[in-house]
Amino acid sequence: MILSHITKQYRGTRALDDLSLDIEEGKITAVLGESGAGKTTLLSCIMGLLPFEGEIDGVSGKKPKRRKDCSYLFQDALLLPNLTAEENIAFVLPTGMGERIKEMLARVGLEGKENAYPHELSGGEKQRVSIARAFLYPHTLLLMDEPFSSLDLALKRSLMELVRKLREEEGGTVLFVTHDVQEAAFLAERALVLHRGKLIGDLPIAAPQPRDFLSPPEEARELARILLDSGEIK
Ligand code: ADP
């Protein structure tokens, strides 16, 4: 996917500033940046939720259309409270996928919880349901916006490893927004750094998978340095 000269201006704020970049197919690309850098705005433009100046794959952003070929994973699991785990997934899929849903729920560690309602699941289990749903929904691009940010460390490691493994088995292109260098260094094959709507870093992360959560690849230091150099104390 090629993003060319994307500018997004809110009233008074230039959230994306003439941003050009490519998202390589079949890779996990992280977008790192401090709060307010423009990460979520970038995802919204890609999702077709906001008009913007510039083009994505040659298509102008002036009259955006919501993309149907994207799957999402957000910080909040976004489950409907009156549907079971299985029904929450079936809700977004074509009919007749019951067996595949059961199989995927087992792969994410929720065997036996198919008929549980969200209030009967822990925070981690709810996020497992949303991970299962994100991978089952037919997509060409998986967009992840800080899905691990609110988790405690053990759960974060466990769910990041789950996403890594599913992505390895299923393949596909992933765009992963995070403010956390350790998360980017654990999952991504390439990290982009945003600052005030501009690209200030673009680093391949070549370390083989699976990676050790406690010993991040050396690129993590370089990413932290780029972020710290750009940072301002507010
Ligand atoms: P990030 O996801 O990196 O924290 P955002 O994309 O949410 O950054 O925000 C980028 C900038 O745009 C910030 O300065 C933010 O205050 C501003 N912004 C985001 N959404 C809106 C909006 N709906 N209206 C006005 N300003 C916004």
Side-chain angles (χ1 to χ4, degrees):
M1 183 167 53
I2 301 195
L3 287 71
S4 319
H5 301 290
I6 296 195
T7 294
K8 176 66 199 175
Q9 183 95 29
Y10 297 110
R11 214 170 295 156
T13 309
R14 185 165 281 219
L16 298 175
D17 190 358
D18 196 25
L19 183 70
S20 293
L21 55 90
D22 68 312
I23 311 284
E24 289 168 82
E25 272 178 40
K27 278 200 172 176
I28 304 183
T29 302
V31 177
L32 265 168
E34 83 278 26
S35 176
K39 306 182 297 296
T40 299
T41 301
L42 176 64
L43 283 195
S44 300
C45 292
I46 292 172
M47 283 151 76
L49 299 180
L50 287 176
F52 57 88
E53 288 165 48
E55 295 180 346
I56 297 182
D57 287 336
V59 180
S60 158
K62 291 219 165 93
K63 288 191 183 144
K65 275 201 212 119
R66 198 196 158 116
R67 280 181 67 155
K68 301 233 167 70
D69 64 334
C70 289
S71 195
Y72 311 112
L73 202 50
F74 296 117
Q75 190 165 336
D76 188 331
L78 300 175
L79 303 181
L80 292 168
N82 55 332
L83 298 183
T84 64
E86 189 175 340
E87 289 165 350
N88 260 287
I89 299 176
F91 184 68
V92 302
L93 298 179
T95 49
M97 288 184 67
E99 276 317 303
R100 288 203 53 205
I101 297 172
K102 282 195 178 62
E103 182 219 342
M104 184 57 91
L105 281 170
R107 282 166 76 191
V108 301
L110 290 177
E111 205 162 22
K113 302 246 168 153
E114 298 86 351
N115 297 318
Y117 287 89
H119 74 270
E120 299 170 312
L121 299 170
S122 69
E125 287 171 335
K126 281 188 257 206
Q127 198 56 311
R128 284 174 197 273
V129 176
S130 74
I131 289 170
R133 182 176 57 189
F135 276 93
L136 275 179
Y137 182 81
H139 59 277
T140 56
L141 179 63
L142 171 57
L143 297 171
M144 308 203 294
D145 193 357
E146 307 265 12
F148 312 111
S149 287
S150 62
L151 306 173
D152 64 61
L153 201 60
L155 196 51
K156 176 185 283 204
R157 179 169 74 168
S158 156
L159 293 193
M160 287 207 307
E161 173 53 24
L162 176 64
V163 166
R164 186 204 66 73
K165 192 160 173 288
L166 285 171
R167 156 62 183 49
E168 184 181 273
E169 291 162 2
E170 304 283 320
T173 310
V174 180
L175 191 60
F176 172 32
V177 161
T178 177
H179 64 269
D180 186 309
V181 169
Q182 193 179 22
E183 289 183 14
F186 183 76
L187 272 183
E189 293 158 296
R190 177 183 176 209
L192 307 172
V193 186
L194 275 191
H195 178 65
R196 292 187 171 182
K198 285 185 186 294
L199 190 65
I200 59 161
D202 183 355
L203 211 69
I205 306 179
Q209 292 281 15
R211 296 174 187 156
D212 182 354
F213 188 67
L214 294 176
S215 314
E218 60 187 63
E219 289 87 346
R221 288 166 60 100
E222 175 66 7
L223 288 170
R225 194 190 59 73
I226 296 171
L227 278 171
L228 286 171
D229 282 356
S230 73
E232 297 142 46
I233 310 289
K234 288 179 189 132

